[in-house]
Amino acid sequence: MQLRTPLALLGAALLVLVGPPLLTTGSGSETGTQIPGLRFMVPNTPGGGYDITARTAAKNAEDAGLSHNIEVFNLPGAGGTVGLSRLVSEHGNGRLAMSMGLGVVGAVRSNDAPKTLADTTPIARLTEEQDVVVVAKDSPYKTIDELVGAWKDDPGKLPVGGGSAPGGPDHLAPMLMAQAAGIAPKDVNYIPFDGGGELLASILGDKVSFGVSGVGEYLDQIRAGELRLLAVTGPKRVAGLDAPTLREAGYDVNFTNWRGIVAPPGLTEAERDKLTRLIEELHDSPQWRQSMKRHGWDDAFLTGDAFGDFLDAQDRRVVSVLKELGL
């Protein structure tokens, strides 16, 4: 017993010296990013862009030691406005955030939703990405010109699917594409789906002639040969993908989508700052950088009031484009 007591005391002393660094290293406590019970809401079905973004952000934040046990859950409906209404009703809840983007901006307008993004607390814009124009692997259309040629002959017989409500990115992109091709947007047979996951099943099942969605949502299916990529909607080709931009193909369209994070209204300054700090640390992490590259996302980071101003401008843009298209 006399021999064991000094050894026990020495072990206890070593634990005191070693313990605190082991407990704090990589735990997020140094930067104040730990938010116990944090939940990310996805306002559409699994497999879509908001879902992929939220689940990637949660995993990357956990892997980087910024926070732990982040729950991601889906609350689909009405293009994201069901989730938006739920978010706004959680007044003062600093442990809830929602993945969103241009699609929610458009859905608020097209559904005349009672709650808008102006009722939320803006946290950050994260990414920007191009949309892709895709068909099933056994589609008769091998090029964008073949597709557009058939589309012009009879727009109503070639339904186009998108993973957003009217006014959202997957709706605006084909409408702008139609306009550039000389097709009246009001003649386009657009079929909305609640996210890219639902849309994918309809493309593969030949329920729509072609689909438009974010590049990050369908990279795996394109690379696996399940989907044929005909064109991208942005200003440049996507690295590693063999497809022209719409402008290269002769259609004057330059369109990109974006995604971000908002929180409920009524947060204290400390709650808002802590959530923003978590997203800032996530943005700077190597895990997030690798994820952006893997999904084909471009960095579009913007926080706080600047992001709020951007949301206001996007709302005005959606209204303007819909009026221009006669929709």
Side-chain angles (χ1 to χ4, degrees):
M1 292 295 294
Q2 291 178 343
L3 288 174
R4 292 176 63 188
T5 300
L7 289 174
L9 291 173
L10 177 60
L14 286 173
L15 284 175
V16 170
L17 291 172
V18 175
L22 289 176
L23 290 172
T24 58
T25 299
S27 69
S29 59
E30 299 93 337
T31 55
T33 59
Q34 287 287 348
I35 305 177
L38 178 60
R39 306 175 78 208
F40 281 167
M41 182 199 300
V42 176
N44 61 12
T45 54
Y50 301 152
D51 187 69
I52 294 171
T53 302
R55 294 183 189 280
T56 300
K59 184 178 188 306
N60 288 171
E62 292 180 354
D63 289 347
L66 301 174
S67 199
H68 299 290
N69 300 319
I70 301 173
E71 179 188 351
V72 180
F73 69 101
N74 299 77
L75 185 62
T81 57
V82 170
L84 176 61
S85 293
R86 163 71 179 277
L87 186 82
V88 174
S89 74
E90 296 274 348
H91 189 278
N93 186 351
R95 297 183 177 185
L96 179 65
M98 185 177 85
S99 175
M100 49 73 68
L102 180 56
V104 176
V105 178
V108 166
R109 284 293 177 179
S110 62
N111 293 316
D112 196 22
K115 302 300 181 182
T116 74
L117 289 165
D119 297 314
T120 70
T121 300
I123 300 300
R125 184 184 68 189
L126 288 173
T127 62
E128 185 178 49
E129 70 172 343
Q130 305 195 46
D131 268 2
V132 291
V133 182
V134 293
V135 295
K137 63 181 180 181
D138 56 353
S139 168
Y141 309 114
K142 303 291 195 298
T143 68
I144 188 66
D145 283 335
E146 289 179 359
L147 172 65
V148 171
W151 199 23
K152 289 175 71 172
D153 288 341
D154 196 340
K157 285 191 176 180
L158 265 74
V160 50
S164 59
D170 299 350
H171 171 250
L172 294 179
M175 293 301 169
L176 292 169
M177 180 177 152
Q179 184 185 53
I183 301 169
K186 63 181 180 60
D187 293 336
V188 173
N189 182 7
Y190 176 76
I191 301 178
F193 295 87
D194 202 355
E198 286 189 359
L199 171 61
L200 177 62
S202 291
I203 299 171
L204 296 177
D206 293 325
K207 294 181 180 178
V208 294
S209 297
F210 65 105
V212 177
S213 193
V215 61
E217 296 176 67
Y218 292 161
L219 267 179
D220 289 343
Q221 289 79 16
I222 292 169
R223 287 169 174 162
E226 296 175 10
L227 293 176
R228 182 182 300 143
L229 175 61
L230 301 185
V232 297
T233 65
K236 60 183 180 181
R237 292 190 176 213
V238 175
L241 297 181
D242 184 20
T245 67
L246 286 173
R247 278 190 170 170
E248 278 184 80
Y251 308 101
D252 190 16
V253 176
N254 181 3
F255 182 88
T256 55
N257 186 19
W258 56 268
R259 295 194 181 92
I261 301 288
V262 294
L267 301 192
T268 66
E269 184 175 350
E271 288 172 327
R272 183 197 63 201
D273 290 349
K274 192 167 191 177
L275 187 52
T276 302
R277 190 157 53 246
L278 169 62
I279 301 302
E280 287 174 341
E281 293 290 327
L282 168 68
H283 169 259
D284 292 339
S285 71
Q287 290 87 349
W288 180 251
R289 297 290 176 177
Q290 291 167 5
S291 292
M292 285 200 301
K293 183 177 181 180
R294 184 171 66 253
H295 290 293
W297 296 335
D298 293 323
D299 191 11
F301 198 61
L302 192 66
T303 62
D305 291 341
F307 180 43
D309 292 341
F310 172 79
L311 291 177
D312 289 340
Q314 287 290 287
D315 182 54
R316 293 192 297 271
R317 178 194 178 204
V318 166
V319 172
S320 174
V321 171
L322 290 175
K323 284 183 177 178
E324 178 188 344
L325 295 173
L327 301 172

